[in-house]
Amino acid sequence: MFDALLDALGHSWWAYPLIFGFCTLDAILPMLPSETVLLTGGILAADHSMILAWVIAMGALGGFVGDNIAYRIGHSAEGWARRWITRGERGKRGLAWAERQLERHGGPVVVVARFLPGGRTATTIACGVLEFPYRQFVLYDAIGALLWATVNTLIGFVGGHAFDDRPLLAFAVSFLVALAMGGGIELVRWLRRRTRATEPQQPAETPVG
């Protein structure tokens, strides 16, 4: 059944718009599995059912468009956007983290946040809420969207080649690799935060005179 579903998807013209749609909507509806769609597209590209470059292009373009929609939501409807994204404790922490990181590191956070669970939505909306310069946002978001789409699609592509004729196993392994990548970035973040928390605070200098 899974093989038949992949075969139908891979030979359908609407598979590319579907990738674009999922990657666009995932920016404002994070429950949509855009990474899963890219992994699947990569697996299908491995057996030539889909075109690798087109899968990456649709994923990157969809991600870029979705992020810009999220930015505009944060910019034009700050009160509503903040209430929506912070509706739960996790959402509040995510937005607070995004605000701190944007103030501290600027644009590169837009790239890194794409690979963090829930980081993409919180960061793009936070950019709008904080009125982060739009030209900088567009530049870093374009880099992040292309990198994100390329990495996730290639994970599926490599998995599809490694487990030829076993697409279900290829998908399972590719999904675990993508999950481990996101978890690894999150672990590095946690370790850095813990290291900073345990570092002794430098005493304030006493004014002379």
Side-chain angles (χ1 to χ4, degrees):
M1 180 178 179
F2 186 77
D3 292 5
L5 180 62
L6 284 183
D7 186 63
L9 180 65
H11 292 91
S12 301
W13 66 267
W14 46 262
Y16 298 104
L18 184 67
I19 292 172
F20 174 84
F22 266 89
C23 293
T24 299
L25 292 175
D26 186 37
I28 49 180
L29 297 172
M31 68 285 298
L32 292 176
S34 56
E35 287 87 359
T36 303
V37 171
L38 289 174
L39 291 174
T40 304
I43 292 171
L44 290 170
D47 68 0
H48 308 291
S49 297
M50 296 187 76
I51 301 171
L52 180 65
W54 274 103
V55 175
I56 294 173
M58 290 296 100
L61 184 59
F64 180 77
V65 171
D67 289 349
N68 278 266
I69 293 173
Y71 180 96
R72 290 302 178 186
I73 288 174
H75 182 70
S76 62
E78 178 179 337
W80 174 84
R82 187 178 288 269
R83 287 194 301 272
W84 176 69
I85 196 62
T86 61
R87 62 192 181 277
E89 189 61 33
R90 184 175 180 180
K92 292 177 182 178
R93 290 198 307 269
L95 186 59
W97 172 84
E99 290 176 345
R100 288 194 307 270
Q101 296 303 313
L102 283 168
E103 291 172 356
R104 186 179 304 166
H105 302 292
V109 174
V110 177
V111 179
V112 175
R114 280 198 148 275
F115 297 90
L116 300 175
R120 175 189 180 188
T121 303
T123 302
T124 50
I125 289 185
C127 283
V129 170
L130 297 173
E131 297 187 355
F132 186 79
Y134 185 63
R135 288 186 179 181
Q136 290 187 44
F137 174 79
V138 167
L139 173 62
Y140 284 106
D141 189 60
I143 295 171
L146 181 59
L147 183 62
W148 169 79
T150 301
V151 168
N152 281 285
T153 304
L154 287 181
I155 289 174
F157 185 76
V158 172
H161 273 296
F163 300 98
D164 192 23
D165 296 327
R166 289 180 290 176
L168 184 58
L169 181 58
F171 177 81
V173 172
S174 299
F175 183 79
L176 289 174
V177 170
L179 197 64
M181 181 178 64
I185 296 174
E186 188 69 30
L187 178 62
V188 171
R189 264 186 60 210
W190 179 81
L191 290 173
R192 290 184 61 185
R193 187 167 62 244
R194 182 169 179 175
T195 300
R196 286 196 300 267
T198 56
E199 286 177 351
Q201 296 295 322
Q202 295 292 331
E205 294 184 5
T206 304
V208 177

